[in-house]
PDB file of all heavy atoms in Angstrom:
ATOM      1  N   MET A   1    -114.593 -34.986 187.108  1.00 71.00           N
ATOM      2  CA  MET A   1    -115.977 -35.212 186.707  1.00 71.00           C
ATOM      3  C   MET A   1    -116.912 -34.146 187.324  1.00 71.00           C
ATOM      4  O   MET A   1    -117.844 -33.678 186.682  1.00 71.00           O
ATOM      5  CB  MET A   1    -116.415 -36.619 187.129  1.00 71.00           C
ATOM      6  CG  MET A   1    -117.703 -37.104 186.476  1.00 71.00           C
ATOM      7  SD  MET A   1    -119.198 -36.525 187.315  1.00 71.00           S
ATOM      8  CE  MET A   1    -119.009 -37.395 188.862  1.00 71.00           C
ATOM      9  N   ILE A   2    -116.647 -33.775 188.600  1.00 79.00           N
ATOM     10  CA  ILE A   2    -117.421 -32.735 189.258  1.00 79.00           C
ATOM     11  C   ILE A   2    -117.318 -31.444 188.471  1.00 79.00           C
ATOM     12  O   ILE A   2    -118.298 -30.711 188.290  1.00 79.00           O
ATOM     13  CB  ILE A   2    -116.926 -32.515 190.702  1.00 79.00           C
ATOM     14  CG1 ILE A   2    -117.000 -33.814 191.516  1.00 79.00           C
ATOM     15  CG2 ILE A   2    -117.733 -31.425 191.380  1.00 79.00           C
ATOM     16  CD1 ILE A   2    -118.365 -34.397 191.669  1.00 79.00           C
ATOM     17  N   LYS A   3    -116.125 -31.162 187.950  1.00 77.00           N
ATOM     18  CA  LYS A   3    -115.906 -29.940 187.180  1.00 77.00           C
ATOM     19  C   LYS A   3    -116.749 -29.918 185.921  1.00 77.00           C
ATOM     20  O   LYS A   3    -117.223 -28.857 185.492  1.00 77.00           O
ATOM     21  CB  LYS A   3    -114.435 -29.806 186.820  1.00 77.00           C
ATOM     22  CG  LYS A   3    -113.494 -29.642 188.006  1.00 77.00           C
ATOM     23  CD  LYS A   3    -112.054 -29.516 187.546  1.00 77.00           C
ATOM     24  CE  LYS A   3    -111.123 -29.357 188.742  1.00 77.00           C
ATOM     25  NZ  LYS A   3    -109.701 -29.262 188.299  1.00 77.00           N
ATOM     26  N   ASN A   4    -116.938 -31.070 185.299  1.00 78.00           N
ATOM     27  CA  ASN A   4    -117.700 -31.139 184.064  1.00 78.00           C
ATOM     28  C   ASN A   4    -119.153 -30.722 184.248  1.00 78.00           C
ATOM     29  O   ASN A   4    -119.803 -30.288 183.298  1.00 78.00           O
ATOM     30  CB  ASN A   4    -117.656 -32.566 183.491  1.00 78.00           C
ATOM     31  CG  ASN A   4    -116.258 -32.968 183.054  1.00 78.00           C
ATOM     32  OD1 ASN A   4    -115.423 -32.116 182.754  1.00 78.00           O
ATOM     33  ND2 ASN A   4    -116.002 -34.266 183.015  1.00 78.00           N
ATOM     34  N   PHE A   5    -119.648 -30.845 185.466  1.00 79.00           N
ATOM     35  CA  PHE A   5    -121.029 -30.464 185.759  1.00 79.00           C
ATOM     36  C   PHE A   5    -121.148 -29.011 186.208  1.00 79.00           C
ATOM     37  O   PHE A   5    -122.236 -28.521 186.477  1.00 79.00           O
ATOM     38  CB  PHE A   5    -121.625 -31.388 186.824  1.00 79.00           C
ATOM     39  CG  PHE A   5    -122.040 -32.738 186.300  1.00 79.00           C
ATOM     40  CD1 PHE A   5    -121.174 -33.817 186.373  1.00 79.00           C
ATOM     41  CD2 PHE A   5    -123.293 -32.927 185.728  1.00 79.00           C
ATOM     42  CE1 PHE A   5    -121.546 -35.068 185.900  1.00 79.00           C
ATOM     43  CE2 PHE A   5    -123.681 -34.170 185.259  1.00 79.00           C
ATOM     44  CZ  PHE A   5    -122.804 -35.238 185.337  1.00 79.00           C
ATOM     45  N   GLY A   6    -120.000 -28.316 186.328  1.00 78.00           N
ATOM     46  CA  GLY A   6    -120.023 -26.906 186.681  1.00 78.00           C
ATOM     47  C   GLY A   6    -119.920 -26.594 188.164  1.00 78.00           C
ATOM     48  O   GLY A   6    -120.242 -25.479 188.582  1.00 78.00           O
ATOM     49  N   PHE A   7    -119.436 -27.561 188.958  1.00 85.00           N
ATOM     50  CA  PHE A   7    -119.358 -27.348 190.393  1.00 85.00           C
ATOM     51  C   PHE A   7    -117.921 -27.414 190.910  1.00 85.00           C
ATOM     52  O   PHE A   7    -117.660 -27.825 192.045  1.00 85.00           O
ATOM     53  CB  PHE A   7    -120.241 -28.376 191.131  1.00 85.00           C
ATOM     54  CG  PHE A   7    -121.694 -28.246 190.801  1.00 85.00           C
ATOM     55  CD1 PHE A   7    -122.264 -29.008 189.802  1.00 85.00           C
ATOM     56  CD2 PHE A   7    -122.496 -27.328 191.469  1.00 85.00           C
ATOM     57  CE1 PHE A   7    -123.614 -28.881 189.472  1.00 85.00           C
ATOM     58  CE2 PHE A   7    -123.826 -27.185 191.144  1.00 85.00           C
ATOM     59  CZ  PHE A   7    -124.389 -27.973 190.141  1.00 85.00           C
ATOM     60  N   HIS A   8    -116.994 -26.980 190.058  1.00 81.00           N
ATOM     61  CA  HIS A   8    -115.581 -27.031 190.427  1.00 81.00           C
ATOM     62  C   HIS A   8    -115.276 -26.157 191.630  1.00 81.00           C
ATOM     63  O   HIS A   8    -114.354 -26.436 192.405  1.00 81.00           O
ATOM     64  CB  HIS A   8    -114.730 -26.579 189.250  1.00 81.00           C
ATOM     65  CG  HIS A   8    -115.139 -25.245 188.704  1.00 81.00           C
ATOM     66  ND1 HIS A   8    -116.224 -25.093 187.871  1.00 81.00           N
ATOM     67  CD2 HIS A   8    -114.611 -24.009 188.889  1.00 81.00           C
ATOM     68  CE1 HIS A   8    -116.351 -23.824 187.567  1.00 81.00           C
ATOM     69  NE2 HIS A   8    -115.396 -23.135 188.163  1.00 81.00           N
ATOM     70  N   SER A   9    -116.058 -25.074 191.823  1.00 84.00           N
ATOM     71  CA  SER A   9    -115.794 -24.159 192.938  1.00 84.00           C
ATOM     72  C   SER A   9    -115.936 -24.854 194.286  1.00 84.00           C
ATOM     73  O   SER A   9    -115.255 -24.499 195.252  1.00 84.00           O
ATOM     74  CB  SER A   9    -116.745 -22.955 192.885  1.00 84.00           C
ATOM     75  OG  SER A   9    -118.095 -23.372 193.014  1.00 84.00           O
ATOM     76  N   LEU A  10    -116.820 -25.852 194.376  1.00 85.00           N
ATOM     77  CA  LEU A  10    -117.022 -26.541 195.641  1.00 85.00           C
ATOM     78  C   LEU A  10    -115.819 -27.409 196.028  1.00 85.00           C
ATOM     79  O   LEU A  10    -115.701 -27.838 197.176  1.00 85.00           O
ATOM     80  CB  LEU A  10    -118.274 -27.417 195.582  1.00 85.00           C
ATOM     81  CG  LEU A  10    -119.602 -26.659 195.435  1.00 85.00           C
ATOM     82  CD1 LEU A  10    -120.759 -27.644 195.377  1.00 85.00           C
ATOM     83  CD2 LEU A  10    -119.782 -25.683 196.584  1.00 85.00           C
ATOM     84  N   LEU A  11    -114.926 -27.650 195.079  1.00 80.00           N
ATOM     85  CA  LEU A  11    -113.718 -28.400 195.378  1.00 80.00           C
ATOM     86  C   LEU A  11    -112.618 -27.501 195.941  1.00 80.00           C
ATOM     87  O   LEU A  11    -111.548 -27.981 196.300  1.00 80.00           O
ATOM     88  CB  LEU A  11    -113.205 -29.092 194.109  1.00 80.00           C
ATOM     89  CG  LEU A  11    -114.135 -30.128 193.481  1.00 80.00           C
ATOM     90  CD1 LEU A  11    -113.585 -30.585 192.136  1.00 80.00           C
ATOM     91  CD2 LEU A  11    -114.324 -31.323 194.413  1.00 80.00           C
ATOM     92  N   LEU A  12    -112.893 -26.205 196.031  1.00 77.00           N
ATOM     93  CA  LEU A  12    -111.877 -25.256 196.474  1.00 77.00           C
ATOM     94  C   LEU A  12    -112.005 -24.865 197.937  1.00 77.00           C
ATOM     95  O   LEU A  12    -111.203 -24.090 198.447  1.00 77.00           O
ATOM     96  CB  LEU A  12    -111.950 -23.976 195.613  1.00 77.00           C
ATOM     97  CG  LEU A  12    -111.743 -24.172 194.115  1.00 77.00           C
ATOM     98  CD1 LEU A  12    -111.971 -22.854 193.387  1.00 77.00           C
ATOM     99  CD2 LEU A  12    -110.352 -24.702 193.835  1.00 77.00           C
ATOM    100  N   PHE A  13    -113.026 -25.392 198.609  1.00 73.00           N
ATOM    101  CA  PHE A  13    -113.244 -25.021 200.002  1.00 73.00           C
ATOM    102  C   PHE A  13    -112.631 -26.063 200.930  1.00 73.00           C
ATOM    103  O   PHE A  13    -113.045 -27.216 200.954  1.00 73.00           O
ATOM    104  CB  PHE A  13    -114.740 -24.876 200.308  1.00 73.00           C
ATOM    105  CG  PHE A  13    -115.360 -23.682 199.656  1.00 73.00           C
ATOM    106  CD1 PHE A  13    -115.819 -23.746 198.350  1.00 73.00           C
ATOM    107  CD2 PHE A  13    -115.462 -22.488 200.344  1.00 73.00           C
ATOM    108  CE1 PHE A  13    -116.381 -22.656 197.731  1.00 73.00           C
ATOM    109  CE2 PHE A  13    -116.021 -21.373 199.736  1.00 73.00           C
ATOM    110  CZ  PHE A  13    -116.489 -21.455 198.425  1.00 73.00           C
ATOM    111  N   GLU A  14    -111.667 -25.614 201.727  1.00 66.00           N
ATOM    112  CA  GLU A  14    -111.014 -26.528 202.674  1.00 66.00           C
ATOM    113  C   GLU A  14    -111.815 -26.663 203.943  1.00 66.00           C
ATOM    114  O   GLU A  14    -111.894 -27.729 204.544  1.00 66.00           O
ATOM    115  CB  GLU A  14    -109.612 -26.006 202.999  1.00 66.00           C
ATOM    116  CG  GLU A  14    -108.838 -26.903 203.955  1.00 66.00           C
ATOM    117  CD  GLU A  14    -107.426 -26.415 204.170  1.00 66.00           C
ATOM    118  OE1 GLU A  14    -106.821 -25.912 203.216  1.00 66.00           O
ATOM    119  OE2 GLU A  14    -106.948 -26.528 205.312  1.00 66.00           O
ATOM    120  N   SER A  15    -112.406 -25.578 204.388  1.00 61.00           N
ATOM    121  CA  SER A  15    -113.171 -25.604 205.633  1.00 61.00           C
ATOM    122  C   SER A  15    -114.296 -24.591 205.545  1.00 61.00           C
ATOM    123  O   SER A  15    -114.141 -23.513 204.972  1.00 61.00           O
ATOM    124  CB  SER A  15    -112.282 -25.271 206.826  1.00 61.00           C
ATOM    125  OG  SER A  15    -113.061 -25.162 208.009  1.00 61.00           O
ATOM    126  N   SER A  16    -115.451 -24.959 206.084  1.00 59.00           N
ATOM    127  CA  SER A  16    -116.580 -24.039 206.104  1.00 59.00           C
ATOM    128  C   SER A  16    -116.924 -23.623 207.530  1.00 59.00           C
ATOM    129  O   SER A  16    -117.967 -23.048 207.770  1.00 59.00           O
ATOM    130  CB  SER A  16    -117.798 -24.701 205.461  1.00 59.00           C
ATOM    131  OG  SER A  16    -118.261 -25.773 206.253  1.00 59.00           O
ATOM    132  N   PHE A  17    -116.042 -23.913 208.473  1.00 67.00           N
ATOM    133  CA  PHE A  17    -116.352 -23.600 209.872  1.00 67.00           C
ATOM    134  C   PHE A  17    -116.371 -22.094 210.096  1.00 67.00           C
ATOM    135  O   PHE A  17    -115.428 -21.385 209.780  1.00 67.00           O
ATOM    136  CB  PHE A  17    -115.313 -24.240 210.807  1.00 67.00           C
ATOM    137  CG  PHE A  17    -115.503 -23.800 212.241  1.00 67.00           C
ATOM    138  CD1 PHE A  17    -116.548 -24.308 212.994  1.00 67.00           C
ATOM    139  CD2 PHE A  17    -114.638 -22.876 212.825  1.00 67.00           C
ATOM    140  CE1 PHE A  17    -116.726 -23.901 214.313  1.00 67.00           C
ATOM    141  CE2 PHE A  17    -114.810 -22.470 214.125  1.00 67.00           C
ATOM    142  CZ  PHE A  17    -115.856 -22.974 214.881  1.00 67.00           C
ATOM    143  N   ILE A  18    -117.471 -21.623 210.642  1.00 74.00           N
ATOM    144  CA  ILE A  18    -117.633 -20.223 211.013  1.00 74.00           C
ATOM    145  C   ILE A  18    -118.164 -20.182 212.441  1.00 74.00           C
ATOM    146  O   ILE A  18    -119.170 -20.820 212.736  1.00 74.00           O
ATOM    147  CB  ILE A  18    -118.642 -19.506 210.083  1.00 74.00           C
ATOM    148  CG1 ILE A  18    -118.235 -19.655 208.613  1.00 74.00           C
ATOM    149  CG2 ILE A  18    -118.750 -18.035 210.472  1.00 74.00           C
ATOM    150  CD1 ILE A  18    -116.952 -18.954 208.232  1.00 74.00           C
ATOM    151  N   PRO A  19    -117.513 -19.460 213.351  1.00 77.00           N
ATOM    152  CA  PRO A  19    -117.982 -19.404 214.745  1.00 77.00           C
ATOM    153  C   PRO A  19    -119.425 -18.912 214.818  1.00 77.00           C
ATOM    154  O   PRO A  19    -119.777 -17.893 214.220  1.00 77.00           O
ATOM    155  CB  PRO A  19    -117.020 -18.405 215.398  1.00 77.00           C
ATOM    156  CG  PRO A  19    -115.781 -18.467 214.556  1.00 77.00           C
ATOM    157  CD  PRO A  19    -116.269 -18.700 213.148  1.00 77.00           C
ATOM    158  N   ASN A  20    -120.259 -19.632 215.552  1.00 82.00           N
ATOM    159  CA  ASN A  20    -121.668 -19.287 215.648  1.00 82.00           C
ATOM    160  C   ASN A  20    -121.902 -17.880 216.224  1.00 82.00           C
ATOM    161  O   ASN A  20    -122.802 -17.160 215.786  1.00 82.00           O
ATOM    162  CB  ASN A  20    -122.414 -20.317 216.510  1.00 82.00           C
ATOM    163  CG  ASN A  20    -122.813 -21.536 215.701  1.00 82.00           C
ATOM    164  OD1 ASN A  20    -122.655 -21.571 214.494  1.00 82.00           O
ATOM    165  ND2 ASN A  20    -123.310 -22.557 216.375  1.00 82.00           N
ATOM    166  N   LYS A  21    -121.099 -17.499 217.221  1.00 85.00           N
ATOM    167  CA  LYS A  21    -121.279 -16.176 217.821  1.00 85.00           C
ATOM    168  C   LYS A  21    -121.041 -15.074 216.802  1.00 85.00           C
ATOM    169  O   LYS A  21    -121.736 -14.057 216.790  1.00 85.00           O
ATOM    170  CB  LYS A  21    -120.340 -16.014 219.024  1.00 85.00           C
ATOM    171  CG  LYS A  21    -120.735 -16.838 220.233  1.00 85.00           C
ATOM    172  CD  LYS A  21    -119.835 -16.540 221.429  1.00 85.00           C
ATOM    173  CE  LYS A  21    -120.268 -17.333 222.644  1.00 85.00           C
ATOM    174  NZ  LYS A  21    -119.385 -17.053 223.815  1.00 85.00           N
ATOM    175  N   PHE A  22    -120.048 -15.282 215.963  1.00 85.00           N
ATOM    176  CA  PHE A  22    -119.738 -14.304 214.926  1.00 85.00           C
ATOM    177  C   PHE A  22    -120.874 -14.185 213.922  1.00 85.00           C
ATOM    178  O   PHE A  22    -121.327 -13.083 213.578  1.00 85.00           O
ATOM    179  CB  PHE A  22    -118.441 -14.706 214.218  1.00 85.00           C
ATOM    180  CG  PHE A  22    -118.054 -13.839 213.055  1.00 85.00           C
ATOM    181  CD1 PHE A  22    -117.872 -12.476 213.225  1.00 85.00           C
ATOM    182  CD2 PHE A  22    -117.886 -14.390 211.792  1.00 85.00           C
ATOM    183  CE1 PHE A  22    -117.510 -11.678 212.140  1.00 85.00           C
ATOM    184  CE2 PHE A  22    -117.528 -13.604 210.715  1.00 85.00           C
ATOM    185  CZ  PHE A  22    -117.338 -12.242 210.897  1.00 85.00           C
ATOM    186  N   VAL A  23    -121.375 -15.331 213.450  1.00 86.00           N
ATOM    187  CA  VAL A  23    -122.467 -15.325 212.478  1.00 86.00           C
ATOM    188  C   VAL A  23    -123.745 -14.776 213.098  1.00 86.00           C
ATOM    189  O   VAL A  23    -124.484 -14.022 212.453  1.00 86.00           O
ATOM    190  CB  VAL A  23    -122.712 -16.739 211.922  1.00 86.00           C
ATOM    191  CG1 VAL A  23    -123.906 -16.737 210.978  1.00 86.00           C
ATOM    192  CG2 VAL A  23    -121.483 -17.259 211.192  1.00 86.00           C
ATOM    193  N   THR A  24    -124.002 -15.119 214.353  1.00 89.00           N
ATOM    194  CA  THR A  24    -125.188 -14.605 215.035  1.00 89.00           C
ATOM    195  C   THR A  24    -125.173 -13.080 215.058  1.00 89.00           C
ATOM    196  O   THR A  24    -126.197 -12.419 214.804  1.00 89.00           O
ATOM    197  CB  THR A  24    -125.253 -15.146 216.470  1.00 89.00           C
ATOM    198  OG1 THR A  24    -125.376 -16.571 216.435  1.00 89.00           O
ATOM    199  CG2 THR A  24    -126.450 -14.567 217.224  1.00 89.00           C
ATOM    200  N   TRP A  25    -124.024 -12.520 215.336  1.00 89.00           N
ATOM    201  CA  TRP A  25    -123.872 -11.063 215.372  1.00 89.00           C
ATOM    202  C   TRP A  25    -124.161 -10.452 214.006  1.00 89.00           C
ATOM    203  O   TRP A  25    -124.837  -9.431 213.902  1.00 89.00           O
ATOM    204  CB  TRP A  25    -122.462 -10.710 215.824  1.00 89.00           C
ATOM    205  CG  TRP A  25    -122.175  -9.243 215.828  1.00 89.00           C
ATOM    206  CD1 TRP A  25    -122.651  -8.305 216.694  1.00 89.00           C
ATOM    207  CD2 TRP A  25    -121.349  -8.538 214.872  1.00 89.00           C
ATOM    208  NE1 TRP A  25    -122.173  -7.063 216.363  1.00 89.00           N
ATOM    209  CE2 TRP A  25    -121.379  -7.170 215.262  1.00 89.00           C
ATOM    210  CE3 TRP A  25    -120.599  -8.931 213.774  1.00 89.00           C
ATOM    211  CZ2 TRP A  25    -120.667  -6.202 214.552  1.00 89.00           C
ATOM    212  CZ3 TRP A  25    -119.900  -7.969 213.075  1.00 89.00           C
ATOM    213  CH2 TRP A  25    -119.938  -6.618 213.461  1.00 89.00           C
ATOM    214  N   ILE A  26    -123.691 -11.096 212.931  1.00 88.00           N
ATOM    215  CA  ILE A  26    -123.926 -10.590 211.579  1.00 88.00           C
ATOM    216  C   ILE A  26    -125.398 -10.684 211.204  1.00 88.00           C
ATOM    217  O   ILE A  26    -125.999  -9.734 210.700  1.00 88.00           O
ATOM    218  CB  ILE A  26    -123.082 -11.349 210.534  1.00 88.00           C
ATOM    219  CG1 ILE A  26    -121.587 -11.170 210.800  1.00 88.00           C
ATOM    220  CG2 ILE A  26    -123.428 -10.884 209.118  1.00 88.00           C
ATOM    221  CD1 ILE A  26    -120.706 -12.006 209.914  1.00 88.00           C
ATOM    222  N   VAL A  27    -125.999 -11.848 211.462  1.00 91.00           N
ATOM    223  CA  VAL A  27    -127.386 -12.085 211.067  1.00 91.00           C
ATOM    224  C   VAL A  27    -128.322 -11.084 211.765  1.00 91.00           C
ATOM    225  O   VAL A  27    -129.340 -10.674 211.190  1.00 91.00           O
ATOM    226  CB  VAL A  27    -127.802 -13.539 211.377  1.00 91.00           C
ATOM    227  CG1 VAL A  27    -129.282 -13.748 211.123  1.00 91.00           C
ATOM    228  CG2 VAL A  27    -126.997 -14.500 210.502  1.00 91.00           C
ATOM    229  N   LYS A  28    -127.968 -10.682 212.953  1.00 91.00           N
ATOM    230  CA  LYS A  28    -128.779  -9.679 213.661  1.00 91.00           C
ATOM    231  C   LYS A  28    -128.758  -8.329 212.966  1.00 91.00           C
ATOM    232  O   LYS A  28    -129.608  -7.470 213.222  1.00 91.00           O
ATOM    233  CB  LYS A  28    -128.286  -9.533 215.098  1.00 91.00           C
ATOM    234  CG  LYS A  28    -128.642 -10.696 216.005  1.00 91.00           C
ATOM    235  CD  LYS A  28    -128.136 -10.475 217.423  1.00 91.00           C
ATOM    236  CE  LYS A  28    -128.528 -11.634 218.334  1.00 91.00           C
ATOM    237  NZ  LYS A  28    -128.026 -11.441 219.713  1.00 91.00           N
ATOM    238  N   LYS A  29    -127.795  -8.138 212.079  1.00 89.00           N
ATOM    239  CA  LYS A  29    -127.672  -6.878 211.334  1.00 89.00           C
ATOM    240  C   LYS A  29    -128.352  -6.934 209.960  1.00 89.00           C
ATOM    241  O   LYS A  29    -128.262  -5.986 209.192  1.00 89.00           O
ATOM    242  CB  LYS A  29    -126.183  -6.534 211.125  1.00 89.00           C
ATOM    243  CG  LYS A  29    -125.350  -6.524 212.403  1.00 89.00           C
ATOM    244  CD  LYS A  29    -125.769  -5.435 213.353  1.00 89.00           C
ATOM    245  CE  LYS A  29    -124.859  -5.403 214.573  1.00 89.00           C
ATOM    246  NZ  LYS A  29    -125.253  -4.347 215.538  1.00 89.00           N
ATOM    247  N   VAL A  30    -129.001  -8.060 209.656  1.00 91.00           N
ATOM    248  CA  VAL A  30    -129.630  -8.230 208.344  1.00 91.00           C
ATOM    249  C   VAL A  30    -131.025  -7.624 208.343  1.00 91.00           C
ATOM    250  O   VAL A  30    -131.851  -7.897 209.218  1.00 91.00           O
ATOM    251  CB  VAL A  30    -129.717  -9.726 207.963  1.00 91.00           C
ATOM    252  CG1 VAL A  30    -130.475  -9.889 206.649  1.00 91.00           C
ATOM    253  CG2 VAL A  30    -128.323 -10.318 207.851  1.00 91.00           C
ATOM    254  N   ASP A  31    -131.278  -6.779 207.356  1.00 92.00           N
ATOM    255  CA  ASP A  31    -132.615  -6.202 207.144  1.00 92.00           C
ATOM    256  C   ASP A  31    -133.345  -7.100 206.145  1.00 92.00           C
ATOM    257  O   ASP A  31    -133.003  -7.126 204.964  1.00 92.00           O
ATOM    258  CB  ASP A  31    -132.494  -4.787 206.586  1.00 92.00           C
ATOM    259  CG  ASP A  31    -133.834  -4.089 206.488  1.00 92.00           C
ATOM    260  OD1 ASP A  31    -134.858  -4.770 206.285  1.00 92.00           O
ATOM    261  OD2 ASP A  31    -133.856  -2.846 206.596  1.00 92.00           O
ATOM    262  N   LEU A  32    -134.337  -7.835 206.617  1.00 91.00           N
ATOM    263  CA  LEU A  32    -135.056  -8.784 205.770  1.00 91.00           C
ATOM    264  C   LEU A  32    -135.810  -8.086 204.630  1.00 91.00           C
ATOM    265  O   LEU A  32    -135.909  -8.620 203.524  1.00 91.00           O
ATOM    266  CB  LEU A  32    -136.030  -9.606 206.616  1.00 91.00           C
ATOM    267  CG  LEU A  32    -135.586 -10.991 207.056  1.00 91.00           C
ATOM    268  CD1 LEU A  32    -136.669 -11.636 207.915  1.00 91.00           C
ATOM    269  CD2 LEU A  32    -135.256 -11.879 205.878  1.00 91.00           C
ATOM    270  N   LYS A  33    -136.324  -6.900 204.903  1.00 92.00           N
ATOM    271  CA  LYS A  33    -137.122  -6.212 203.888  1.00 92.00           C
ATOM    272  C   LYS A  33    -136.283  -5.815 202.685  1.00 92.00           C
ATOM    273  O   LYS A  33    -136.750  -5.875 201.537  1.00 92.00           O
ATOM    274  CB  LYS A  33    -137.782  -4.975 204.502  1.00 92.00           C
ATOM    275  CG  LYS A  33    -138.867  -5.317 205.547  1.00 92.00           C
ATOM    276  CD  LYS A  33    -139.506  -4.050 206.067  1.00 92.00           C
ATOM    277  CE  LYS A  33    -140.599  -4.377 207.094  1.00 92.00           C
ATOM    278  NZ  LYS A  33    -141.232  -3.135 207.633  1.00 92.00           N
ATOM    279  N   THR A  34    -135.065  -5.358 202.933  1.00 93.00           N
ATOM    280  CA  THR A  34    -134.201  -4.915 201.838  1.00 93.00           C
ATOM    281  C   THR A  34    -133.166  -5.955 201.444  1.00 93.00           C
ATOM    282  O   THR A  34    -132.469  -5.783 200.445  1.00 93.00           O
ATOM    283  CB  THR A  34    -133.468  -3.625 202.234  1.00 93.00           C
ATOM    284  OG1 THR A  34    -132.628  -3.881 203.382  1.00 93.00           O
ATOM    285  CG2 THR A  34    -134.459  -2.532 202.582  1.00 93.00           C
TER     286      THR A  34
END
C-alpha cells in the first residue's frame, strides 16, 4: 500500500544511523550561499 502512494523507496532503508562527528565534519564544509 505504501508503494501505491509513491514512497516505496522508504521501505528500502534498513538503518539511518550516521555518526554525529562525521556529519558535523561534513556540514562544516557546506557553503550556504551556493
Side-chain angles (χ1 to χ4, degrees):
M1 194 276 295
I2 302 299
K3 296 180 181 179
N4 294 337
F5 282 94
F7 297 94
H8 54 281
S9 62
L10 295 180
L11 298 172
L12 301 175
F13 290 85
E14 181 176 323
S15 174
S16 67
F17 173 74
I18 305 293
N20 277 353
K21 288 185 178 180
F22 175 58
V23 176
T24 297
W25 177 72
I26 297 174
V27 173
K28 287 181 178 179
K29 307 295 183 180
V30 175
D31 186 330
L32 262 179
K33 292 182 179 179
T34 61

